[in-house]
Amino acid sequence: MGDRWYSEAVVYCLDIDTYADSDGDGVGDIPGLIGRLDYLARLGVTCLWLHPIHPSPNRDDGYDATDFYNVDPRFGTLGDFAELLHQAGNRGIRVIIDLVVNHTSDEHPWFQSARSSPDSPYRDWYVWSEHEPSDRQQGMVFPGEQKETWSYDRTAKAWYYHRFYRFQPDLNMANPAVRAEVKKIMSFWLQLGVSGFRMDAVPFIIELTEPGNPNSPKDLDFLTELRQHVQWRRGDAILLAEANVEPDQLPVYFGDGGGSANRVHMLFDFMLNGRLMLALARQDPEPVIEALRDTPLLPTGAQWATFLRNHDEIDLSRLTAEQRNQVYARFGPDEHMRLYNRGIRRRLAPMLGNDRRWIELAYALQFSLRGTPVLRYGEEIGMGEDLSLPGRQAIRTPMQWSFKENAGFSTAEPDKLVRPVIDKGEYGYGKVNVTAQRRDPRSLLAWFERMIRTLREAPEIGSGSTSHIDVPTPPGVLAHRADGVTGTMVFLHNLGTDDVEVDLSLLQPEADQPIDVLTDRGYAEVGKLERLQLAGHGYRWIRLRRGH
Ligand code: GLC
């Protein structure tokens, strides 16, 4: 293990309310999650990312908090949360939580006070305008569900700014009191023992909003301040930021350009995500090669977080219209599978037609690319989506644990569940569940366990440097390598469906007893790397050599 734990972590994200319900009220809770930690440890997870845990009216699945210093009573108590941190730690699992401080719920006492009077001590904690801002109908994040970014509040007799839904008023980060409060919130959770934060909506947190200016200035130094604060309070805590911006704007989120990584430790690689989807749709690795080539170089210590699926729609907005249409045609052919004119609200298994070879290929590829892999709950067993649910809820259905009623998620009456379980068809819990897959050494779950164990033995992927191996390969094949102090790994992934042969003999001089460590099937030995067989949708992870 290298010096920095996050570089070699396997992150698993989940919503407490849909994971495991211990008391039969239909809502997942912290004791339920504690009961599943052994499952996560066996899977090989080293870091849990919990979606918002705070009290919330839940109009945006918890991304609308009413109290940053507590846990949602439906999930349990702060005591339960402290116990979770202890139990996870016992198993070598760290916990990071969503930090959603760009905005609060409009039911938050701060906003209730702020709107009540211009003299409220909290008035200036939010962003107001006396007059209707000219950019009122610009910058919406949820087109189709959101009509404006400034709404008139009759109680306040003023317009307030909300980058997201109208029930999520933005906090005013230009106000030093708000900045101090954000730091206090972070300190509180660090003190309890979290290992850091997934920071929600960072480009908007640092926005110094000016009414009428849709391109308000950004204060990136606030990130430097937060980094310093976090690192002083807990040396090994991290910031993992959501900043879905153009790639050339990303480096300043990692550091101030002086060469040091003095802002966030990790950023989700949204660009790679879109390119991965395009590559899978076209069965052509070129978009991934471009992504490897085009992504900015990171300062030392900075790291990408890779993902195929997260809790939101797959955001294809950074692809061209033509590329987006190719992905839609393949993975989201029906209008109701799409969202916000930019994305797809499906899980991976159904997008890939539940083709086991293709699913393995996709995840083997993600986990072998530079960065720290993030896996969404349920993907490890190939769960599906429920498109009859509105918006992003389609991919937020309860975890499917067993053949028991409600998929073993809860003992409540089905109509009391936080969200219906998928109980019909190819992805119903009768077919897709943990219990069945745990018993079957050939299951997708068993494959994930094996793949993650293999990753543990290949720290070059997380801590080393990754590059495309620029040799002629059959169409569909991506060859890349990861180099680090521990040695060199070489990867072949066939996005196409034809069986092929790949010649990597130019690597022979560097090789020292090269050997397959993860493959989709048994292949002839690596030998001199000149006639490497690769099945359609096949993959080979080869250790080329060990370091010292
Ligand atoms: C982020 C979250 C999303 C949420 C939004 C508003 O984009 O990923 O789920 O709705 O922020 O907080």
Side-chain angles (χ1 to χ4, degrees), residues 34-51:
I34 292 174
R36 300 297 177 171
L37 287 172
D38 289 324
Y39 165 78
L40 294 169
R42 170 168 163 174
L43 179 58
V45 171
T46 63
C47 178
L48 271 182
W49 153 28
L50 302 178
H51 295 304

Side-chain angles (χ1 to χ4, degrees), residues 60 63 100 103 142 164 198 200 242 311-312 392 396:
D60 182 15
Y63 285 89
V100 190
H103 45 263
F142 301 127
F164 297 91
R198 179 265 186 189
D200 189 57
E242 180 203 31
H311 62 298
D312 291 326
R392 293 168 291 169
R396 298 176 178 180

Side-chain angles (χ1 to χ4, degrees), residues 30 44 59 82 88 120 186 199 219 262 322 456 460 506 539:
I30 298 171
R59 295 178 68 190
S120 155
M186 292 171 125
M199 286 184 71
D219 178 13
N262 60 353
E322 192 197 338
R456 295 259 67 77
E460 299 85 355
L506 92 162
Y539 54 87

